[in-house]
Amino acid sequence: MDQLTNGLSAAAAARNTCNREDPYFDSPYSLTLDRSLIIVRKEDIFFSPLTPSGKPVLKRFKTLQKRRAAQWTSYLESPQQMDSEHDIAFLRNLDPVKWKDQDHYRVIGLKHLRHKATEDDIKKAYRIRVLKHHPDKRQAAGEYVNTDEGDYFSCIVKAYEILSSPLKRRAYDSIDPFFDKYTPPKSVSSPEEFFSTYGKWFSLNSRWSSKQPSHLLGNTFTTQRQVDRFYEFWFDFDSWREYSYLDEEDKETGQCKEERRWIDKQNKAQRAQMKKEEMARIRSVVEQAFRLDPRVIFFKELGRREKLERKLAKQKAFQAEKEQLEKVKEEEERVAREEDERRQAEEREKEAAARKIKEGQKRALKKERKTFRTLCKSNNYYGIEEDEKGTVENMGKMEHLCEILEVDELTKLNESLEKMGIDEGRREFEKVVKTVEERIAEEKARTACQKRFDDKQGGGDGGTGSKGKSGSIEWSHEELQVLIKAVNLFPAGTAQRWQVVANFINQHDQQGKERSAKEVLAKAKDLNSSDFSKNRLKEEANQKAFELFEKSQKTPMKVGVEPETVIKTKSSEKAWTTGEQKLLEQALKTYSASANPSDRWERVAEAVPGRSKKECMARFKELAALVKAKKSAAQIQS
């Protein structure tokens, strides 16, 4: 019961929001108000589902609304009291000349129906007016009728003429003088005020729509789809109003065709201007209602929140996917990193083991070479004391064996030489030298055979020259010397080392051959990886270097003598003995260049009996050239 009381109080308060002084409030036009809009409190139904306790209140007010609508319908359908004293006075005051300014519906007796009157209603009302106000009827009744100045009955005839014609009636209805053209306020204090005020405006103006039935404002229960359709209808509103009734001149009054055309043009321009103003009025109110409509505000806010929720959900999904991808990527990177670390650790272990083995081999080789040199030196290089030349040759052969033989071979040779005497050791030494020379000869023969085979295979290349096993042009002795020099000039660690070496070789090559960095690197690796061939090439390079040195010294050379064993001077043919060589080496160590910069060579010459300062300096230069050539050959191996 309390809920019903609250609902009735809310409805009464909503009704009181309407202006009682409004002439339409108690008039038939008050029916245009949607009384179903204000039925319960805003807190009960606005933007919230109707509670079970509010349903009886809603049902009760719907019943009251239907009852009021039936009462207004019966009021509108009841005929107006015609031929009253007030009505007769109104008709007698009509001016036939100003018929255009009169209210035709009131003149014919249909003020209470106006645009809702049917054709039958108009005919019936006109017959009643004719029977009562026709001049003949009034004269028969003894009433004076002034036919000279015009009788008001002509106004009734004119009203019927306009209202009975659909086109003329439509033109008159378009400018209905009793139509309320008010504009709703631009602000409202509550949703109830919005629905009551703007609901009345839309209901009144819906009569001008060419599409019927037209859409009304509705209430808070209206769905979003209905609200959208409502505003789509009113934003695209199509009015049937036309203002030909207000034409200042009738084109039929024109005296000629051109005048009538000009009058028609002026009338059309005036109608278009009025229609434009009318559409602007409707458009402004619709936009204003759209801005104030609480349902639109609510739907916008709801849409904004839904959009924000979708955006947040999308961002959350994207972030989750991104995190998942990052986790997968991190896991893959971790696995790859662990695999790389494991592989690097294995490689480091292998390299360390290989380096350890190589260093052990180097130490063992160095040790065996030292042992072999010590044995040779202690046994006078297995030469005959009277034959110093043979001793010097054996020194060269000793160095040659140190370069050629491997660790195991040197170890076996050292063990054999330690157990043997000097004569047996000499024979064993010569035997090993002979074996090594045979192996070198075999290697040379095999290389020559391979070269001839390659020449045959590449015979159809247009005479471009012989090719090596890698497909490149055979390297000459001059190119090998330049390669050795370039490797010494540009050690490991140089930026783009092999490209720089290749450029150096190309600049100093006299034959015009172009060597690429790939070919240079392959040749250096080939020299480093081969066994006997590298020693052969080293021997040939040393031989070539010594020949160049010989030419610079302009001294004759004996065929078959190794570069390392030649002991000649520029000014004398006397060879240096082993004793003199040892004394010279000891003197060079004793009198260094830093300790004795001025008189070094005088003291060195004094320490070597039978040799002058000039001879000692020449011998030192010869030894320095040999050492340099030896280092250059060793650089290729590394």
Side-chain angles (χ1 to χ4, degrees):
M1 191 63 183
D2 294 337
Q3 295 175 356
L4 180 60
T5 303
N6 294 335
L8 292 172
S9 300
R15 292 183 61 187
N16 290 333
T17 57
C18 299
N19 188 359
R20 289 290 184 177
E21 296 179 358
D22 190 345
Y24 290 96
F25 185 86
D26 293 324
S27 68
Y29 294 103
S30 61
L31 179 62
T32 57
L33 288 175
D34 192 350
R35 299 290 181 175
S36 63
L37 299 177
I38 315 297
I39 53 178
V40 291
R41 294 180 303 170
K42 178 182 70 174
E43 291 80 3
D44 295 333
I45 63 173
F46 192 64
F47 296 147
S48 63
L50 189 63
T51 59
S53 58
K55 290 181 179 180
V57 179
L58 178 61
K59 185 177 180 180
R60 171 63 179 169
F61 277 95
K62 283 184 177 180
T63 303
L64 292 177
Q65 188 271 342
K66 291 179 181 179
R67 186 180 301 171
R68 294 193 187 101
Q71 291 175 358
W72 283 114
T73 303
S74 61
Y75 169 77
L76 292 174
E77 292 178 353
S78 62
Q80 185 179 359
Q81 296 294 330
M82 299 174 63
D83 298 333
S84 62
E85 294 182 0
H86 180 71
D87 184 51
I88 294 173
F90 168 74
L91 293 175
R92 292 182 184 276
N93 291 327
L94 292 176
D95 186 359
V97 178
K98 299 180 180 180
W99 62 269
K100 206 168 187 178
D101 297 334
Q102 68 185 10
D103 184 2
H104 299 303
Y105 286 106
R106 185 176 180 182
V107 169
I108 207 169
L110 296 177
K111 178 182 178 181
H112 61 293
L113 295 177
R114 301 194 69 78
H115 67 281
K116 295 182 180 181
T118 63
E119 293 182 4
D120 293 338
D121 295 335
I122 295 173
K123 291 179 181 179
K124 182 179 178 180
Y126 179 66
R127 291 192 189 101
I128 295 174
R129 288 296 192 188
V130 169
L131 292 175
K132 183 67 176 177
H133 299 283
H134 194 276
D136 295 342
K137 296 290 184 181
R138 285 187 287 143
Q139 287 179 354
E143 183 180 346
Y144 172 75
V145 178
N146 187 2
T147 57
D148 296 334
E149 297 180 0
D151 188 64
Y152 67 88
F153 183 75
S154 60
C155 294
I156 297 175
V157 175
K158 195 66 176 178
Y160 177 73
E161 179 185 350
I162 292 174
L163 296 180
S164 61
S165 174
L167 294 178
K168 293 181 179 181
R169 182 184 180 186
R170 188 181 185 90
Y172 177 72
D173 287 341
S174 298
I175 54 93
D176 189 351
F178 289 93
F179 175 72
D180 189 2
K181 296 182 180 181
Y182 82 100
T183 301
K186 295 184 179 180
S187 61
V188 292
S189 59
S190 63
E192 290 85 354
E193 182 181 355
F194 170 79
F195 285 114
S196 61
T197 305
Y198 282 85
K200 173 184 173 181
W201 186 91
F202 282 107
S203 180
L204 289 174
N205 287 270
S206 63
R207 60 179 286 193
W208 309 123
S209 175
S210 58
K211 299 178 183 179
Q212 294 294 340
S214 59
H215 294 262
L216 297 180
L217 181 62
N219 51 34
T220 55
F221 295 103
T222 307
T223 62
Q224 183 176 2
R225 182 178 179 183
Q226 293 173 337
V227 172
D228 293 340
R229 292 177 60 186
F230 167 79
Y231 281 106
E232 287 177 3
F233 174 83
W234 282 96
F235 275 117
D236 298 332
F237 186 76
D238 184 16
S239 176
W240 55 261
R241 295 185 78 176
E242 52 94 6
Y243 300 91
S244 60
Y245 190 83
L246 299 178
D247 291 345
E248 295 181 358
E249 292 185 61
D250 187 1
K251 70 175 183 177
E252 299 300 333
T253 59
Q255 298 297 325
C256 60
K257 182 178 179 180
E258 287 76 11
E259 185 178 358
R260 287 192 296 270
R261 186 178 297 172
W262 182 84
I263 292 172
D264 185 54
K265 183 178 180 181
Q266 295 296 322
N267 291 337
K268 287 182 179 179
Q270 183 179 1
R271 295 173 202 168
Q273 181 63 27
M274 292 181 180
K275 185 69 175 287
K276 183 178 180 181
E277 294 175 356
E278 172 66 11
M279 296 308 297
R281 179 185 70 86
I282 293 177
R283 179 78 179 192
S284 63
V285 175
V286 173
E287 292 177 351
Q288 189 171 298
F290 184 80
R291 180 176 57 84
L292 297 176
D293 195 336
R295 301 168 302 180
V296 175
I297 297 174
F298 172 75
F299 293 143
K300 284 184 178 180
E301 179 65 20
L302 186 63
R304 187 188 67 81
R305 292 185 180 182
E306 291 178 354
K307 184 177 180 181
L308 181 61
E309 290 177 359
R310 289 195 300 270
K311 184 178 180 180
L312 293 176
K314 187 176 180 181
Q315 291 179 353
K316 187 176 180 181
F318 177 77
Q319 186 66 23
E321 183 179 0
K322 183 178 179 181
E323 292 177 356
Q324 183 66 22
L325 292 176
E326 289 179 353
K327 289 182 180 179
V328 173
K329 185 176 180 181
E330 290 177 358
E331 181 66 19
E332 293 177 353
E333 290 178 353
R334 184 186 64 80
V335 174
R337 185 170 56 255
E338 292 178 355
E339 181 66 19
D340 188 54
E341 291 176 356
R342 182 187 63 78
R343 185 171 61 256
Q344 290 179 0
E346 292 178 357
E347 291 177 356
R348 286 194 298 270
E349 291 177 358
K350 291 180 181 179
E351 290 177 358
R355 187 167 54 252
K356 187 175 180 181
I357 293 172
K358 189 174 182 180
E359 290 177 356
Q361 292 176 352
K362 285 184 178 180
R363 287 194 297 271
L365 181 61
K366 185 177 181 180
K367 180 180 178 183
E368 294 301 331
R369 286 176 177 175
K370 183 177 180 181
T371 302
F372 180 63
R373 289 190 181 99
T374 303
L375 288 172
C376 292
K377 186 175 182 180
S378 61
N379 292 299
N380 195 21
Y381 300 99
Y382 295 101
I384 302 174
E385 295 182 359
E386 295 80 7
D387 189 5
E388 294 184 358
K389 180 180 178 181
T391 303
V392 174
E393 291 179 354
N394 287 348
M395 290 175 63
K397 294 178 181 179
M398 176 193 69
E399 294 296 332
H400 193 56
L401 291 177
C402 289
E403 293 293 335
I404 298 297
L405 297 179
E406 299 292 338
V407 179
D408 298 337
E409 295 174 338
L410 277 175
T411 302
K412 292 180 181 180
L413 180 59
N414 291 335
E415 291 177 357
S416 301
L417 294 176
E418 287 177 355
K419 295 177 182 179
M420 298 178 182
I422 186 170
D423 296 332
E424 295 178 351
R426 185 181 300 111
R427 288 192 294 270
E428 182 67 19
F429 180 82
E430 293 176 353
K431 179 181 178 181
V432 173
V433 170
K434 184 177 181 181
T435 303
V436 170
E437 289 177 351
E438 291 176 355
R439 288 165 61 180
I440 292 175
E442 292 177 0
E443 179 67 21
K444 288 181 178 180
R446 187 163 52 252
T447 303
C449 182
Q450 181 67 30
K451 182 178 180 182
R452 288 193 298 273
F453 177 76
D454 293 340
D455 292 341
K456 290 180 180 180
Q457 293 293 330
D461 59 355
T464 56
S466 60
K467 302 288 181 179
K469 64 180 180 179
S470 62
S472 61
I473 302 174
E474 188 69 23
W475 287 67
S476 63
H477 293 289
E478 290 78 7
E479 288 180 317
L480 290 176
Q481 290 298 321
V482 176
L483 173 62
I484 295 170
K485 185 175 181 180
V487 170
N488 291 329
L489 289 176
F490 308 105
T494 305
Q496 299 182 353
R497 180 191 183 193
W498 297 110
Q499 185 63 44
V500 174
V501 172
N503 294 336
F504 182 82
I505 293 174
N506 294 331
Q507 291 175 1
H508 293 78
D509 185 18
Q510 301 297 331
Q511 301 177 3
K513 301 176 183 178
E514 291 291 334
R515 298 290 182 180
S516 64
K518 187 176 180 180
E519 291 178 332
V520 173
L521 179 60
K523 187 63 179 176
K525 288 184 178 180
D526 182 62
L527 294 175
N528 187 34
S529 61
S530 59
D531 295 331
F532 294 102
S533 61
K534 69 178 182 181
N535 294 293
R536 179 180 61 81
L537 292 173
K538 176 183 176 183
E539 179 183 353
E540 293 177 356
N542 290 339
Q543 179 69 27
K544 189 67 177 177
F546 190 78
E547 289 176 357
L548 295 175
F549 172 75
E550 179 188 9
K551 292 178 181 179
S552 64
Q553 296 294 327
K554 296 182 180 180
T555 56
M557 292 293 298
K558 291 184 179 181
V559 179
V561 181
E562 296 293 333
E564 292 84 356
T565 61
V566 175
I567 309 178
K568 299 287 182 177
T569 63
K570 181 178 180 181
S571 59
S572 176
E573 295 293 337
K574 183 180 178 181
W576 284 67
T577 62
T578 305
E580 291 175 342
Q581 181 71 25
K582 291 182 178 180
L583 292 174
L584 176 62
E585 293 176 358
Q586 185 63 37
L588 291 174
K589 293 179 181 179
T590 303
Y591 305 107
S592 61
S594 59
N596 303 276
S598 60
D599 57 348
R600 181 190 183 194
W601 291 108
E602 288 79 359
R603 295 187 180 188
V604 170
E606 292 175 358
V608 182
R611 296 292 180 181
S612 64
K613 172 183 175 182
K614 190 174 183 180
E615 291 176 340
C616 292
M617 293 178 65
R619 178 60 179 167
F620 175 75
K621 291 181 180 179
E622 294 174 4
L623 294 176
L626 292 174
V627 172
K628 185 177 181 181
K630 185 177 180 181
K631 287 184 178 181
S632 299
Q635 184 68 29
I636 298 178
Q637 299 179 7
S638 62

